[in-house]
Every structure is written in C-alpha cells, then in structure tokens.
Amino acid sequence: MREKDEARAGLCLNKKSCMARKMRADEGNVRLCIDIEFSSPDHVVPSLSGNIVFLMGSVGTYDVSLKVDGPIIVGGGPSGLAVAACLKQNGIPSLILERSDCIASLWQYKAYDCVKLHIPKHFCELPLFGYPKNFPKYPNKNEFIEYVTAYANHFDIKPNFNQKVESAFFEFEHGVWKVKTQDNVYESKFLVVATGENAEAFVPEIQGIEMFEGSLMHASAYKNGHEFKDKKVVVIGCGNSGMEISLDLCNHDAIPILVVRNSVHIVPREMFGFSTFGVGMTLIKLLPIKLVDKIILAITNYILGDSEKLGLRRPKVGPMELKMIAGRTPVVDVGALSKVRTGNIKVIEQGVREITNKGVIFMDGQEVECDGIVFATGYKSKVTSWLKGSDFFTSYGVPKVPFPNGWKGGNGLYAAGFTNRGLLGAAFDAVKIANDLGNQWPVEYNTKSKQGMLGAACDHAIKIVKDIGHKWIFEYKFE
C-alpha cells in the first residue's frame, strides 16, 4: 500500500487538538487537504469544514455541521433571551442564532422614539430578573433596551450575531435538527423557534404603491415626526402603532390623516390610578368575561367618551373576549383620542383603494393628496420560509395549537413568543420550555469531559470521510 495523498484535520478546542490521518491506495494525483481551527464555547463541538483542493485546480466546498450540546434557539429577542436564561437556570446550555447584530433588534432598530410599554412593567418582566426599581411604571424604548441588555449580561447570554437562518429541518436518521445559516450548519436534538410574531414588516398590496412620489414607509422605519412638520401624512392602520404615530405627528406640527378600515376597541391606559390591563386581569378571576367587558367599556366611556361618535366603531365582541378568541389587542389611548376629538387627527373610516403619485384614493372614490404615507399595518411571522418539513406552524407562521399549549411540537421542536400575549406570553413559554427540557436533560451532558467532546468531533470527522465515498484508515491522538 502506497500513500498517495494525505488529509490533515486540526481541531482546536480548549487547547486540545485531535489529529486525523487518512490513507488510500488508488487513483491519481489527488490531495485532499482540510486545515481548520475552531474557537467556540464549551458546549459547541466543532467538526470539519473547509475546501476540497485538487491538484488539477478545481476547488469544492464540503459543509459540515457544528454539534451543539443544548438547544439551538433561533432569535435573540426577548423570547429567545428568556428561554436561554431559564435553560441556564436549569443547568442546560444553549446557542442563540440572531440575524441582526444586537439583541432585541426590533426594539433597537424598528421602534419609533416615543414608544413605551402599554402595560405596567411588572406585567412585562422576563423570568428570573425584574426591572430596576427606579424605572417608571411604563418604561420607554431606551429603558426597555437597557433592561434586556442587563438581562443578557446577568445570565451571560452571548448570541451568535449576524447569523440569518436559511433553513432548518429534522434529520430523522440521526434524530437531530440541522440549522443552516449563511456561514455554518449547526445541529442539535432540540430547536427553539423564538423569532416571534413580528419578524417582518407587513405592507398590504395596494394598486399604485410604487408610483407615490412622497415619503412612504412602514411603521418599523418611522422614528419621529420631525421631517413631516407642516406636511400632510396618511397613516394606514389604527392599532397602537397607528394611533401613537398619529399623535407623534401632531406633536411635531404635522397634519395626520388616520385611515380606520375596521372596528377597534380603544381603552384608557389607566382607570382611577390602576392600569386597565391590571383591572381586567383581576376582574376576570372573579367574574364571567362578558361581564368584565361590560364593566371595562362602561368605565372607558366615562373616561374617554363615546369613540363611535368620532368615527371609531367598536367591535361587537368586548375587548377582553376579543383578545382571548382572536388575539386582537385593544388600543391603549395615550392622548391620541383627544386629538381626534379636536380635529388635529382626521379620521377616515374606510380602506384605501389605490395610491397615486400625489396621494391616496379611498374606496368611495375620495382622493386625498399627501406628502407622506405610513403603513402601521403590523408584522408577520417568517417561520415557514425557513422551517422545513414541519406541520407545527400554520401558513401564517404561528403554532396550530393555541395558547397555552402552543409552545411544544414534536421531535424536540419548541416555540416561544407566539402567544399574542406580548412579553407576558414569552415569559410563560420560556418557563414551560426550560422545565420540559430539564425533565429530559441527562446529567452527563453537563459534566461531559473535553476529551469526550473531542472524541465526538473525531467520530464526526470519520463519518465525513466515509460520506465522501472512500475507505479511510484513521489514527488520532489527543495532545
């Protein structure tokens, strides 16, 4: 037997190395050379990846997965951080893959300046770590970012940033999830989808949208109304974002026109010094939900007046019941309704039929010229664009099983942050997921020796070579 070519695999992990040599005795002048050095957390087992180089000059790439001892969490927002923290509390490592360059990117990059939490901070705490006592009752954008940053630091959570997941599927042969980003392929027995319901801005398809000559944006790109001073802006959508952006435009001396196509519940943020959300949550423990809604609406009409007289129709179903059955959140008024009442915010109660170069045409043919259009039309999930071979999610990218049981699928698949219940729902999911994994997590995972990890890496290297289609003789040692 004559050695004709050589493969060198250098694996560097915690100053340990594993050397693998292959030998073969047939055709040609072929030299397969793979030299890689990895630096990774203790719970990531690196395996070979690199270029296959042939002497005749052709170059090919052989992609190999990185084994993760612990769940892979897709998404570094509040839901993903909460899951990672609860897992760590149970002694379970994890790896977060985040497409952006920071945690909570929706808040850091896509939230308007004036946004605040709509309900008191104690209802918006992530598990195991509360808000600072000196924070206000309703933290603003910067304060919330400060909180989640402190949360990640407290639990030493360090996501892999700039890792956009391109695909993920369950490999039945080996019982693992394969998660592919633009840089690597990761594998784990467990996958947590924590990208949430607000992964991507939703803009409806409207005829002529590309013709508009003014400023056109989604609410995720809106920061403040400074650029719209003395300008007319059409705000499409009457949820919390639409109302608050309209108010912000007023505060910057713009002229907002609020497009309200559907009925909407508007409630005060507080009732006699208590948060409306807190009042509702307390009453629902004591009374039937329909009675609770009647009480809340009676107090709302006393505080805010009859919103229907302002062109803001209420749904026939009450706010608490509608939230329960359809996930539709009532609008929490922070001052916009008074601007509607004074005429500073004009309400048009119909949909947009067409967009022209100068403005919008409504369903009744009325045309309004404007300088800007803001789509406050919400967000959508993108899970189904990259999660393959799973029927856990609907075509809309939310779990088929409703709250409170939509956090667990099959084959080690979990979901966090898809409850339509904000941060409170994300915290609920995180605790459930961590407890479930804690009940099945073997103790030996937490005490695995480095040599054992290296052995797994070398075993994986042997499998790779076998997959290439040659018979190799391996000799390896630990140094």
Side-chain angles (χ1 to χ4, degrees), residues 60 62 77 84 125 142 196 203 293 300 306 326 338 340 352 355 372 384 438 446:
Y62 194 86
E125 288 183 352
N142 291 332
V203 177
D293 277 334
T300 294
D306 187 357
S338 65
V340 173
V352 174
I355 295 177
T384 55
N446 299 325

Side-chain angles (χ1 to χ4, degrees), residues 35-294:
D35 290 299
I36 301 103
E37 183 173 286
F38 289 87
S39 177
S40 58
D42 286 347
H43 58 278
V44 177
V45 180
S47 52
L48 297 179
S49 176
N51 290 330
I52 301 173
V53 183
F54 298 93
L55 291 184
M56 70 272 301
S58 62
V59 179
T61 300
Y62 194 86
D63 294 321
V64 181
S65 58
L66 302 177
K67 292 184 177 179
V68 179
D69 278 347
I72 296 171
I73 302 171
V74 181
S79 298
L81 296 176
V83 173
C86 291
L87 288 171
K88 178 163 284 192
Q89 187 75 5
N90 284 1
I92 303 173
S94 63
L95 179 68
I96 295 179
L97 301 177
E98 165 56 40
R99 66 178 178 178
S100 186
D101 61 357
C102 64
I103 60 172
S105 61
L106 184 66
W107 280 84
Q108 299 215 44
Y109 294 144
K110 298 183 179 182
Y112 42 91
D113 294 343
C114 66
V115 71
K116 293 184 178 181
L117 295 182
H118 296 124
I119 59 179
K121 61 183 180 182
H122 65 275
F123 288 116
C124 300
E125 288 183 352
L126 299 179
L128 308 171
F129 189 82
Y131 286 87
K133 292 182 178 179
N134 64 331
F135 269 34
K137 189 175 184 179
Y138 302 96
N140 62 29
K141 169 184 173 178
N142 291 332
E143 288 162 338
F144 182 75
I145 293 171
E146 182 181 338
Y147 167 66
V148 292
T149 301
Y151 188 88
N153 291 337
H154 177 78
F155 292 102
D156 194 30
I157 301 170
K158 298 176 180 178
N160 280 18
F161 293 116
N162 300 307
Q163 292 297 300
K164 183 179 180 180
V165 173
E166 298 175 349
S167 67
F169 67 93
F170 187 73
E171 188 181 80
F172 286 91
E173 181 182 358
H174 299 101
V176 296
W177 286 93
K178 291 289 187 76
V179 182
K180 184 180 185 300
T181 69
Q182 77 278 9
D183 294 330
N184 292 302
V185 179
Y186 302 84
E187 72 173 53
S188 171
K189 291 184 177 180
F190 306 101
L191 174 64
V192 181
V193 179
T195 50
E197 303 146 325
N198 302 324
E200 185 172 286
F202 171 72
V203 177
E205 294 182 4
I206 300 178
Q207 181 181 342
I209 191 171
E210 72 284 350
M211 296 175 58
F212 186 63
E213 296 175 354
S215 177
L216 187 147
M217 66 182 70
H218 186 266
S220 59
Y222 179 92
K223 297 305 176 186
N224 56 63
H226 178 73
E227 65 177 288
F228 296 109
K229 183 178 180 180
D230 298 323
K231 294 182 179 180
K232 187 181 292 185
V233 183
V234 172
V235 180
I236 300 175
C238 188
N240 279 297
S241 295
M243 292 289 279
E244 291 176 4
I245 288 173
S246 296
L247 177 61
D248 186 65
L249 286 165
C250 276
N251 293 336
H252 285 86
D253 299 319
I255 307 164
I257 299 171
L258 182 62
V259 177
V260 184
R261 187 182 64 174
N262 298 317
S263 56
V264 59
H265 278 301
I266 301 176
V267 299
R269 184 161 67 179
E270 295 194 342
M271 295 178 167
F272 312 117
F274 300 96
S275 77
T276 299
F277 180 80
V279 171
M281 293 297 288
T282 300
L283 290 177
I284 208 167
K285 297 175 183 177
L286 307 171
L287 302 169
I289 191 168
K290 291 185 182 295
L291 181 56
V292 173
D293 277 334
K294 287 183 178 180

Side-chain angles (χ1 to χ4, degrees), residues 387-401:
L387 184 63
K388 309 299 182 182
S390 171
D391 61 355
F392 180 67
F393 290 87
T394 69
S395 59
Y396 296 102
V398 296
K400 291 180 178 179
V401 180

